[in-house]
Amino acid sequence: MRTSPNTSRPAAFGPRLRRSALTAVEWRDLVGLTRIEVVRELMLSLPWLVLSLALAAYGLYLPAMAASFMLFLTGLRQVHNAHHYALGVSRRATEGFLFAMSVVMLGAMHAVQFNHLRHHKLCMAEGDAEAVSARLRGWQAVAIGP
Protein backbone atom coordinates (compact mmCIF):
# COMPACT_ATOMS: atom_id res chain seq x y z
CA MET A 1 0.00 0.00 0.00
CA ARG A 2 1.33 3.41 -0.93
CA THR A 3 1.86 5.96 1.87
CA SER A 4 1.09 9.66 1.97
CA PRO A 5 4.05 11.99 1.34
CA ASN A 6 3.79 13.81 4.70
CA THR A 7 2.92 10.89 6.96
CA SER A 8 3.65 7.24 7.39
CA ARG A 9 -0.09 6.52 7.26
CA PRO A 10 -1.52 4.76 4.21
CA ALA A 11 -2.73 7.08 1.45
CA ALA A 12 -6.06 5.27 1.41
CA PHE A 13 -7.12 7.40 4.39
CA GLY A 14 -7.21 10.42 2.08
CA PRO A 15 -6.41 14.12 2.36
CA ARG A 16 -8.98 14.77 5.07
CA LEU A 17 -7.10 12.66 7.60
CA ARG A 18 -3.74 14.07 6.53
CA ARG A 19 -4.98 17.51 7.53
CA SER A 20 -6.45 16.32 10.80
CA ALA A 21 -4.99 16.82 14.22
CA LEU A 22 -3.86 13.20 14.29
CA THR A 23 -1.20 13.84 11.69
CA ALA A 24 0.12 16.77 13.72
CA VAL A 25 1.19 14.40 16.50
CA GLU A 26 4.91 13.71 16.60
CA TRP A 27 5.15 9.92 16.86
CA ARG A 28 8.09 8.72 18.93
CA ASP A 29 7.60 4.98 18.84
CA LEU A 30 10.68 2.80 19.18
CA VAL A 31 13.18 5.52 19.97
CA GLY A 32 15.93 5.33 22.53
CA LEU A 33 15.28 6.70 26.00
CA THR A 34 17.52 9.12 27.85
CA ARG A 35 18.80 8.10 31.29
CA ILE A 36 16.29 10.39 32.96
CA GLU A 37 13.45 8.82 30.95
CA VAL A 38 14.63 5.33 31.92
CA VAL A 39 14.75 6.24 35.63
CA ARG A 40 11.35 7.91 35.40
CA GLU A 41 9.86 4.87 33.70
CA LEU A 42 11.32 2.45 36.25
CA MET A 43 10.14 4.56 39.22
CA LEU A 44 6.70 5.44 37.86
CA SER A 45 4.69 3.32 40.29
CA LEU A 46 6.98 3.69 43.33
CA PRO A 47 5.29 6.82 44.79
CA TRP A 48 1.91 5.07 44.60
CA LEU A 49 3.29 1.98 46.35
CA VAL A 50 4.79 4.08 49.14
CA LEU A 51 1.61 6.14 49.50
CA SER A 52 -0.60 3.06 49.55
CA LEU A 53 1.49 1.35 52.23
CA ALA A 54 1.76 4.53 54.33
CA LEU A 55 -1.99 5.21 54.21
CA ALA A 56 -2.78 1.59 55.10
CA ALA A 57 -0.29 1.73 58.00
CA TYR A 58 -2.28 4.66 59.43
CA GLY A 59 -5.58 2.87 58.96
CA LEU A 60 -6.71 5.10 56.09
CA TYR A 61 -7.94 2.23 54.00
CA LEU A 62 -10.17 4.01 51.50
CA PRO A 63 -7.41 6.42 50.37
CA ALA A 64 -4.97 3.47 50.45
CA MET A 65 -7.25 1.63 48.02
CA ALA A 66 -7.25 4.64 45.70
CA ALA A 67 -3.44 4.77 45.82
CA SER A 68 -3.32 1.01 45.18
CA PHE A 69 -5.54 1.51 42.14
CA MET A 70 -3.11 4.12 40.80
CA LEU A 71 -0.23 1.75 41.57
CA PHE A 72 -1.95 -0.91 39.49
CA LEU A 73 -2.58 1.47 36.57
CA THR A 74 0.99 2.76 36.49
CA GLY A 75 2.26 -0.80 36.94
CA LEU A 76 0.28 -1.91 33.89
CA ARG A 77 1.99 0.76 31.82
CA GLN A 78 5.39 -0.32 33.08
CA VAL A 79 4.88 -4.04 32.52
CA HIS A 80 3.48 -3.35 29.05
CA ASN A 81 6.73 -1.59 28.16
CA ALA A 82 8.65 -4.43 29.79
CA HIS A 83 6.69 -6.98 27.72
CA HIS A 84 8.09 -5.27 24.63
CA TYR A 85 11.57 -4.79 26.16
CA ALA A 86 11.08 -1.03 25.84
CA LEU A 87 12.10 0.08 29.34
CA GLY A 88 15.52 1.21 28.19
CA VAL A 89 17.40 -1.38 30.26
CA SER A 90 19.01 -4.71 29.41
CA ARG A 91 16.97 -7.83 28.76
CA ARG A 92 18.15 -9.32 32.07
CA ALA A 93 17.17 -6.17 33.98
CA THR A 94 13.78 -6.22 32.23
CA GLU A 95 13.23 -9.83 33.33
CA GLY A 96 14.10 -8.83 36.90
CA PHE A 97 11.72 -5.89 36.68
CA LEU A 98 8.91 -8.17 35.47
CA PHE A 99 9.59 -10.50 38.41
CA ALA A 100 9.52 -7.59 40.89
CA MET A 101 6.27 -6.28 39.41
CA SER A 102 4.81 -9.79 39.63
CA VAL A 103 5.35 -9.63 43.39
CA VAL A 104 4.06 -6.05 43.72
CA MET A 105 1.00 -6.61 41.50
CA LEU A 106 0.34 -10.16 42.78
CA GLY A 107 0.26 -11.66 39.30
CA ALA A 108 2.54 -13.57 36.96
CA MET A 109 3.70 -10.83 34.61
CA HIS A 110 5.74 -13.27 32.50
CA ALA A 111 2.53 -15.23 31.79
CA VAL A 112 0.80 -11.97 30.90
CA GLN A 113 3.72 -11.21 28.59
CA PHE A 114 3.25 -14.51 26.79
CA ASN A 115 -0.43 -13.75 26.13
CA HIS A 116 0.27 -10.14 25.22
CA LEU A 117 2.86 -11.03 22.60
CA ARG A 118 0.44 -13.65 21.21
CA HIS A 119 -2.12 -10.83 21.00
CA HIS A 120 0.21 -8.91 18.69
CA LYS A 121 0.82 -12.02 16.61
CA LEU A 122 -2.83 -13.11 16.37
CA CYS A 123 -4.57 -9.74 16.75
CA MET A 124 -8.34 -10.38 16.95
CA ALA A 125 -7.93 -13.88 15.49
CA GLU A 126 -8.77 -17.19 17.10
CA GLY A 127 -6.39 -17.81 20.00
CA ASP A 128 -6.02 -14.11 20.91
CA ALA A 129 -6.88 -14.23 24.63
CA GLU A 130 -6.65 -10.45 25.01
CA ALA A 131 -9.30 -9.91 22.32
CA VAL A 132 -11.99 -12.04 23.97
CA SER A 133 -13.76 -8.99 25.43
CA ALA A 134 -13.66 -7.19 22.05
CA ARG A 135 -16.04 -9.79 20.66
CA LEU A 136 -18.63 -9.19 23.38
CA ARG A 137 -21.38 -6.63 23.80
CA GLY A 138 -20.33 -3.54 25.75
CA TRP A 139 -22.00 -4.52 29.01
CA GLN A 140 -20.51 -8.03 28.82
CA ALA A 141 -17.00 -6.65 28.27
CA VAL A 142 -17.40 -4.38 31.31
CA ALA A 143 -18.78 -7.26 33.37
CA ILE A 144 -15.83 -9.58 32.67
CA GLY A 145 -13.25 -6.79 32.90
CA PRO A 146 -12.53 -7.14 36.62
Side-chain angles (χ1 to χ4, degrees):
M1 179 179 275
R2 146 182 103 77
T3 59
S4 313
N6 297 330
T7 70
S8 61
R9 304 223 185 269
F13 289 111
R16 198 160 141 205
L17 181 62
R18 283 194 300 270
R19 288 189 301 269
S20 76
L22 291 176
T23 58
V25 173
E26 178 186 348
W27 296 101
R28 292 195 39 188
D29 291 346
L30 303 175
V31 296
L33 301 175
T34 66
R35 281 183 202 248
I36 291 174
E37 289 172 328
V38 170
V39 170
R40 182 178 170 270
E41 184 64 30
L42 293 174
M43 299 299 167
L44 187 63
S45 59
L46 186 60
W48 298 109
L49 174 62
V50 170
L51 183 62
S52 176
L53 293 174
L55 289 168
Y58 285 100
L60 301 169
Y61 299 116
L62 196 57
M65 287 173 41
S68 295
F69 178 71
M70 290 302 298
L71 165 65
F72 189 77
L73 289 180
T74 55
L76 285 176
R77 172 190 156 159
Q78 290 176 295
V79 297
H80 178 265
N81 286 344
H83 291 161
H84 293 284
Y85 297 96
L87 289 175
V89 296
S90 70
R91 190 174 186 93
R92 184 174 179 164
T94 299
E95 297 296 333
F97 182 82
L98 281 172
F99 176 77
M101 290 305 287
S102 294
V103 173
V104 170
M105 296 176 73
L106 302 175
M109 293 303 129
H110 284 90
V112 174
Q113 179 184 32
F114 175 81
N115 281 323
H116 182 66
L117 295 179
R118 276 183 60 87
H119 163 69
H120 283 286
K121 181 180 179 183
L122 305 172
C123 194
M124 297 297 289
E126 193 65 37
D128 180 2
E130 283 190 18
V132 168
S133 62
R135 295 185 192 97
L136 302 175
R137 295 182 184 269
W139 69 269
Q140 291 173 317
V142 170
I144 70 162

